[in-house]
Amino acid sequence: MNILDLDLASDTFAQSTDFTVGVEEEFSILDPQTLELIPRYEEMCAAAADADPELRAAITGELISSEIEIISGAGVDLADALAHQREHRRRLFALAASQGVALGATGTHPWADYREQHIIDTEHYRRVAAGLKYVAWRNNTFSLHVHVGVRGIDRAVRVCDRLRPVLPLLLAISANSPFLDGRDSGLHSARTQSFTRNFPRCGVPDAFGGWDSYREYIEFLIRTNSIVEFTQIWWSIRPHFSFGTVELRICDVQATVQESEALAALMVACIAQAARDVDDAVPFADPAPRLVEENMWRAIRFGLDGSLIDLERAEEFPARDAIDRLAMWTAPVRGELGLDLSFPERNGAQRQHAMSAAGATREEVFAASVAETRQTYAQEVRV
């Protein structure tokens, strides 16, 4: 979609169907022996085009040629989207095996040198690399994104506003990237530090209050030659003009299917519950950006091992309780949509830190993660 046609964006949301779902997962492409990043995206796409055109339609690129993204497409609901995603994953992992590569699912690669990675040759990513230089080159990260249909663009912006203070909770739950640049970063989500702290127009957005204010901001960016397409706004939550969805982009990619699907269900529930709250005029006061950022830092640094802040009460609570808090808030819409949550006792960052503390090397920690990813994502699934 042409970024200049904001009336068309409004029309797209006017025609959107509530609570359709799309899931996007980004995987690292690895040498199966050394687990180094290898630039095989283009080869895998060509192989899929020849052997499995349906799979090729579900594959897309994400900046570097040692990364591959698999998308569900628009499902009528989460169950439909996940059914397609399971089949796409199975076929992607089969393709990877046939091409002699492995796939990883951590938010960062533990030791890869970003200077050795290649930007894929598309118009969008040529523009990103030319405009951002080091910031783009440095961004070798892997995420889980979820799109949820929200009818009405003003409503979608208000949903994004309500989810600003929820972003750090989702990040803490999803944290799965403690290693970067060959060392334990001491963080639980080094991906977030690397990406959202470097990219422009990234991280937690402002509260806009509705479409008029949001549109005014977009028009300012256009008029000042700051952007030429709306996807140059990389916030952790945003209305997606092409799809008529609210897109949540805060989470690290997940090492196992159980975690990925539970997290997808929770993100869908958060968007849908926020939409219901907008409809019902449930009272809501936008917290100051500095307060949300305090929780963002805690989520980045400590993940589920630390504490977060109840911004309304100005009180700390154990970060692990974020799961129960979001489950309680979204209980009405989860019952309506049939969304189940089942998270493991420890998330990816906690498991990796535990192995490291027990004496495992970074290579052993990463190998264990790649193994559990292969065991769960490559399973045979029929739809």
Side-chain angles (χ1 to χ4, degrees):
M1 176 186 294
N2 188 330
I3 183 63
L4 300 177
D5 196 344
L6 297 181
D7 290 333
L8 182 56
S10 183
D11 291 343
T12 299
F13 273 91
Q15 299 168 24
S16 183
T17 301
D18 270 355
F19 312 151
T20 56
V21 176
V23 178
E24 304 171 348
E25 295 167 311
E26 300 167 357
F27 296 97
S28 54
I29 304 174
L30 308 169
D31 180 295
Q33 277 72 50
T34 66
L35 299 185
E36 297 279 356
L37 286 177
I38 51 176
R40 297 286 298 278
Y41 168 73
E42 289 84 358
E43 292 177 42
M44 291 182 70
C45 284
D50 290 339
D52 193 344
E54 184 178 338
L55 173 63
R56 177 64 188 89
I59 290 173
T60 186
E62 190 63 32
L63 188 63
I64 56 175
S65 57
S66 48
E67 180 170 358
I68 193 164
E69 181 178 59
I70 193 79
I71 59 177
S72 67
V76 297
D77 55 19
L78 178 65
D80 186 38
L82 289 182
H84 287 93
Q85 190 74 342
R86 289 167 189 157
E87 180 64 16
H88 294 162
R89 291 189 201 116
R90 182 189 66 79
R91 291 155 77 167
L92 175 66
F93 275 74
L95 174 69
S98 73
Q99 296 297 303
V101 303
L103 299 174
T106 54
T108 54
H109 189 281
W111 63 80
D113 187 339
Y114 73 90
R115 295 170 297 183
E116 297 178 359
Q117 307 312 312
H118 306 284
I119 306 296
I120 60 175
D121 188 21
T122 69
E123 180 181 359
H124 172 69
Y125 287 114
R126 286 195 300 270
R127 182 182 299 120
V128 169
L132 300 184
K133 295 298 183 180
Y134 168 83
V135 170
W137 306 333
R138 188 67 188 81
N139 181 44
N140 299 173
T141 60
F142 311 89
S143 307
L144 166 66
H145 297 171
V146 166
H147 290 259
V148 177
V150 174
R151 187 184 64 259
I153 197 163
D154 188 74
R155 185 166 169 250
V157 172
R158 293 175 186 271
V159 166
C160 292
D161 286 354
R162 285 180 177 255
L163 291 179
R164 291 172 60 252
V166 172
L167 295 174
L169 280 66
L170 292 171
L171 175 59
I173 295 166
S174 78
N176 186 36
S177 52
F179 291 92
L180 183 66
D181 295 335
R183 64 185 300 176
D184 186 334
S185 67
L187 310 176
H188 280 235
S189 182
R191 177 198 66 86
T192 306
Q193 186 67 26
S194 176
F195 175 48
T196 68
R197 298 321 199 206
N198 286 332
F199 265 58
R201 301 174 294 279
C202 199
V204 181
D206 292 345
F208 287 93
W211 170 236
D212 288 346
S213 179
Y214 193 93
R215 177 170 183 154
E216 182 180 348
Y217 174 66
I218 300 295
E219 289 173 339
F220 165 81
L221 294 177
I222 297 168
R223 187 168 59 250
T224 58
N225 297 310
S226 300
I227 64 173
V228 296
E229 56 184 347
F230 81 89
T231 51
Q232 289 175 294
I233 297 171
W234 289 283
W235 283 326
S236 297
I237 186 168
R238 67 186 182 186
H240 197 291
F241 292 173
S242 294
F243 303 145
T245 61
V246 167
E247 181 188 11
L248 260 172
R249 305 159 43 80
I250 188 65
C251 295
D252 286 0
V253 71
Q254 299 297 286
T256 69
V257 166
Q258 176 195 3
E259 292 167 290
S260 187
E261 297 193 352
L263 195 58
L266 183 56
M267 287 194 280
V268 170
C270 287
I271 295 172
Q273 189 63 56
R276 289 283 183 254
D277 289 354
V278 169
D279 296 341
D280 296 338
V282 174
F284 176 74
D286 288 307
R290 60 186 175 275
L291 300 183
V292 181
E293 286 295 339
E294 192 64 34
N295 266 343
M296 279 293 292
W297 166 244
R298 289 175 178 232
I300 290 168
R301 173 66 178 87
F302 300 107
L304 289 183
D305 280 345
S307 62
L308 295 168
I309 303 170
D310 184 316
L311 299 183
E312 292 184 2
R313 295 182 173 87
E315 296 174 352
E316 292 182 288
F317 65 88
R320 178 74 193 184
D321 290 354
I323 298 173
D324 292 337
R325 284 172 173 247
L326 293 181
M328 183 177 301
W329 170 52
T330 61
V333 82
R334 287 192 298 106
E336 174 189 342
L337 301 179
L339 303 176
D340 295 323
L341 306 178
S342 180
F343 289 93
E345 187 62 30
R346 296 185 297 182
N347 67 13
Q350 290 174 308
R351 297 196 301 275
Q352 292 180 64
H353 276 308
M355 284 190 66
S356 183
T361 65
R362 67 181 187 187
E363 290 82 6
E364 290 169 335
V365 173
F366 189 47
S369 178
V370 172
E372 67 178 353
T373 293
R374 181 179 64 251
Q375 290 162 6
T376 65
Y377 280 93
Q379 61 188 322
E380 185 82 13
V381 177
R382 299 296 184 188
V383 295

